[in-house]
Amino acid sequence: MLENIRDRGNVKWTAMMLSEHVAELRRWQNEDRYEERPQLDDFDLQAIQYEIEVAQKRECQVHVRLWDKGKVVFYMGVIKEVNVESMWITVDSPFGRDRMPVKDIICVQCAE
């Protein structure tokens, strides 16, 4: 008896929605996922600077958490360059080379 029931689930509900409703639902979901920028004090900033310096000198794997437009992004790799003038660091990862602004870094941890 249950084999005869063919429920299409979300397909039938989204087909009945207006495009304005779908756009508003997507905006609402993005708003729910938004994370406030963490407030870092001087101690946190000094710890980040120290970890960046140590990781660059030791050339070890690092885990970098970056705040980007309301979400936290994770990176892993080796710090290859620290540009003090333009306030960027360059991280070499298995997926390529990423340049990230120092002002958006939340946390840096050496993996080794």
Side-chain angles (χ1 to χ4, degrees):
M1 172 115 178
L2 291 176
E3 296 105 28
N4 295 336
I5 298 175
R6 294 185 186 208
D7 187 20
R8 296 184 327 208
N10 287 337
V11 175
K12 66 182 175 187
W13 291 108
T14 55
M16 292 190 306
M17 291 182 158
L18 296 174
S19 61
E20 293 86 8
H21 292 142
V22 174
E24 190 64 26
L25 285 172
R26 287 188 182 132
R27 188 192 63 76
W28 187 34
Q29 287 174 344
N30 289 337
E31 191 176 283
D32 283 346
R33 292 185 200 127
Y34 183 83
E35 292 185 33
E36 291 292 325
R37 182 186 201 105
Q39 297 298 319
L40 302 175
D41 58 3
D42 288 338
F43 179 74
D44 296 329
L45 295 174
Q46 287 176 353
I48 289 171
Q49 178 183 355
Y50 177 75
E51 286 290 327
I52 289 173
E53 290 173 1
V54 168
Q56 185 184 16
K57 287 178 185 174
R58 289 176 46 197
E59 295 182 0
C60 64
Q61 288 281 329
V62 292
H63 299 282
V64 180
R65 288 191 324 173
L66 193 74
W67 187 84
D68 184 33
K69 299 175 187 162
K71 61 183 174 184
V72 176
V73 183
F74 296 95
Y75 290 95
M76 190 174 95
V78 178
I79 296 177
K80 289 296 182 183
E81 179 186 0
V82 177
N83 192 331
V84 179
E85 292 176 3
S86 60
M87 301 296 289
W88 289 86
I89 67 169
T90 304
V91 176
D92 223 3
S93 70
F95 302 109
R97 193 167 270 204
D98 297 310
R99 235 175 72 172
M100 51 192 77
V102 173
K103 66 180 177 63
D104 292 337
I105 294 175
I106 299 170
C107 179
V108 177
Q109 291 179 331
C110 289
E112 298 171 355

